[in-house]
Amino acid sequence: MNNKQISSLLNQLADLMELKGENPFKANAYRRAARAVENSRKPLDELEKGPEELPGVGKGTAQAIREIMETGRLETLDRLLKELPAGLPGLMSIPGLGPKSIHLLYHKLGITDIGNLEEALKQGRVRGLPGFGEKKEKNILEGIRRMKERPRRYLLIHVLPVAETLKERLAKHPDVERVEAAGSLRRMTETVKDIDLVVATEKPSSVAESIVSMPEVTEVINHGETKVSVMIHRGFDIQVDVRLVPPDRFITALHHFTGSKEHNVRIRQRAKERGWRVSEYGIHDPERGEVFTFSGEEEMYRKLDLPFIAPEMREDRGEMDKKPDELPRLLKTGDYRGDLHMHTRWSDGTASVRDMALAARERGYEYIAITDHSHSLKVASGLTPDDLKRQREEIDAVNEELDGITVLAGTEMDILPDGSLDFPDEVLEELDLVIASVHSGFRQDGKTLTRRILNALENPHVHILAHPTGRLINRRDPYEVDLDRIFEAARKTKTILELNSNPNRLDLKDLHLKRAKEEYGLHFSINTDAHSPEMLDFIRLGIATARRGWLEADDVINTFSLDRLRKRLDEIKQHK
Ligand code: DGT
Ligand code: CA
Ligand code: ZN
């Protein structure tokens, strides 16, 4: 259990205690402890005197922390979860409704889920509660409306492992010859609506039977010979559509169900020009009464006199109009040599510099940069200039000790609300890599925000602008920044823009990358912003997004050798 996981259990307990109506001081004590654990620079088992050593952790909360460390769970939490109605914690996802209000609704009106909350609101019963005026009633209604409006699209990161388990399981079925994911999942779009799978089999009914009897199936929507659709539950509910096709039609079916719809329209036009018709069964030549099928998608594209177009590019964003030698040679996983944005326990990460370096070396990286937060970001225990000096010593020691990986000393420095930077130039010039980013005041108007970012880009020591638009997928809109002015300034100052691979961010997104490359010729840095060694895995999403943005290895500084990287970073200073 790492600190993040421990603090999340403590927070969950605090919420449930308040839902149940227990003493708010007790709940707050757990919240305070959760914060202390999350901000601890050491993992808890390295604390000499135990959890009590942390500020704000008392006897009772220390006991709970010990229980989590020893057993991985918390009995009071399990008990509360059993005791409270199943729908009650779900009410906390209504924007603007906190645990205290939910407790009142439950206690006074017997409300246990969204259904009976809506009913009570309609009957005007809610506004009678102490502290619940008409205004509050309106706010709750608005919160419910917003929650329902939330797109029912899932983050790619949540769906990928589910799809992979299903794929692996089907691949083991004796009657399955091949299975692949299709649809938006195969194109690696940032969110997906459902899981589309294509299966090659001679015995569709046997395969269909085993799909509908999988343990996670909650509803069978369609049980046919060519298509099976089921709802499954794996932490969340999602529909799975499986097409069952004879092996010789596998490629044309896979192509058809990969889409996108828009790309397929262009493919059909292309075939029509040749007098053919495309469907999931093959390319039909009515004149000769022939149906062409293929053993690979390359062959299918060749039949249409097209170069192979990678699934990530099949969006009708120009891929069908390029000559073969004009199509980009998309970035590949193997091109990537090192991650330049990550956090350690010095700020809000969970691991040490050495742990991060070892994890990176295991992945075959040649270098990384440690970029902890700067001091103004108090919630993330940002570093002071003095902390940075001491951290540099630790980084030097790790470089001394470890072969095969170079650790650069960096910072993720806040761009403050007034547009100034969190460190003076004397501090910045000591560092190998300076990332600047906005973490506060994102509700400022577009002009002010753009000005703030332009300021940062003009500083000669700033190498990279992190997560430039600040969006959180499905949760927060991008800042109202003028991206073209930022792209233009990045071009002039040679500053590098980040593609942040955190699955909630993917920022810059695919379309922005494509535009920034084609219209401004910028360089990018793809980083995970990892706060733990496992989070280095997010690079998979970053690379997929870069491919969707048509990026090539040469557009991305993380593919450079360490020498070339250092030269490229030096160049920035000379341009400002
Ligand atoms: P999604 O599911 O919204 O994340 O995006 P997709 O692209 O996976 O869309 P989906 O699941 O509706 O369909 C998968 C692919 O199947 C789609 O990209 C194109 C292809 N396709 C072929 N025929 C049809 C059709 O009649 N309707 C739809 N919606 N798609 C079709
Ligand atoms: Ca789909
Ligand atoms: Zn970061």
Side-chain angles (χ1 to χ4, degrees), residues 1-4 37-47 342-356 370-373 380-383 387 391 394 530-533:
M1 279 261 165
N2 63 37
N3 294 9
K4 268 250 161 68
V37 170
E38 199 174 332
N39 288 337
S40 164
R41 292 214 170 146
K42 286 188 183 166
L44 293 195
D45 44 20
E46 282 177 23
L47 295 178
M342 69 187 69
H343 299 268
T344 69
R345 283 206 291 276
W346 282 87
S347 65
D348 57 349
T350 63
S352 65
V353 171
R354 187 173 184 275
D355 293 338
M356 295 308 280
I370 300 292
T371 54
D372 278 304
H373 293 288
S381 327
L383 276 63
D387 291 332
Q391 188 187 46
E394 186 173 325
H531 284 64
S532 69

Side-chain angles (χ1 to χ4, degrees), residues 237-435:
D237 296 290
I238 188 166
Q239 182 167 334
V240 182
D241 290 341
V242 190
R243 323 280 164 157
L244 305 160
V245 302
D248 62 330
R249 304 204 166 147
F250 180 75
I251 291 299
T252 45
L254 177 64
H255 182 271
H256 182 81
F257 292 111
T258 296
S260 66
K261 244 176 273 173
E262 293 75 14
H263 178 81
N264 286 357
V265 166
R266 298 294 305 273
I267 290 282
R268 283 199 289 275
Q269 281 169 353
R270 182 100 185 172
K272 206 168 158 203
E273 290 160 14
R274 286 158 178 73
W276 301 333
R277 201 165 54 75
V278 184
S279 78
E280 67 245 59
Y281 307 113
I283 298 183
H284 306 245
D285 180 347
E287 212 158 279
R288 293 202 282 165
E290 238 183 304
V291 179
F292 308 112
T293 58
F294 309 94
S295 59
E297 279 184 330
E298 291 80 1
E299 201 186 320
M300 180 170 167
Y301 277 95
R302 209 177 310 128
K303 183 83 191 167
L304 295 166
D305 303 310
L306 287 168
F308 176 69
I309 296 171
E312 295 94 329
M313 292 178 67
R314 298 182 195 166
E315 299 289 350
D316 193 22
R317 291 178 180 167
E319 74 277 10
M320 292 290 289
D321 306 312
K322 294 271 182 215
K323 295 195 192 83
D325 57 347
E326 289 170 355
L327 276 180
R329 297 222 267 198
L330 295 186
L331 173 75
K332 296 184 302 295
T333 311
D335 297 329
Y336 191 79
R337 300 202 200 192
D339 199 327
L340 297 174
H341 180 169
M342 69 187 69
H343 299 268
T344 69
R345 283 206 291 276
W346 282 87
S347 65
D348 57 349
T350 63
S352 65
V353 171
R354 187 173 184 275
D355 293 338
M356 295 308 280
L358 285 174
R361 189 173 68 175
E362 225 163 83
R363 308 181 67 94
Y365 292 172
E366 295 168 25
Y367 50 79
I368 56 169
I370 300 292
T371 54
D372 278 304
H373 293 288
S374 59
H375 51 159
S376 283
L377 201 60
K378 297 269 191 296
V379 289
S381 327
L383 276 63
T384 63
D386 191 52
D387 291 332
L388 270 181
K389 271 192 205 135
R390 289 186 296 123
Q391 188 187 46
R392 161 72 83 168
E393 286 167 20
E394 186 173 325
I395 290 174
D396 287 346
V398 170
N399 278 325
E400 187 74 22
E401 181 204 341
L402 299 181
D403 287 331
I405 183 115
T406 302
V407 182
L408 303 177
T411 179
E412 178 180 16
M413 172 185 56
D414 263 50
I415 304 171
L416 301 175
D418 68 0
S420 64
L421 299 177
D422 207 10
F423 290 131
D425 287 355
E426 308 86 80
V427 172
L428 297 181
E429 71 192 357
E430 295 297 316
L431 294 166
D432 302 322
L433 182 76
V434 175
I435 298 180

Side-chain angles (χ1 to χ4, degrees), residues 154 159 184-185 192-196 238-241:
Y154 304 94
V159 183
S184 50
L185 201 60
V192 302
K193 175 191 71 199
D194 55 14
I195 298 177
D196 299 294
I238 188 166
Q239 182 167 334
V240 182
D241 290 341

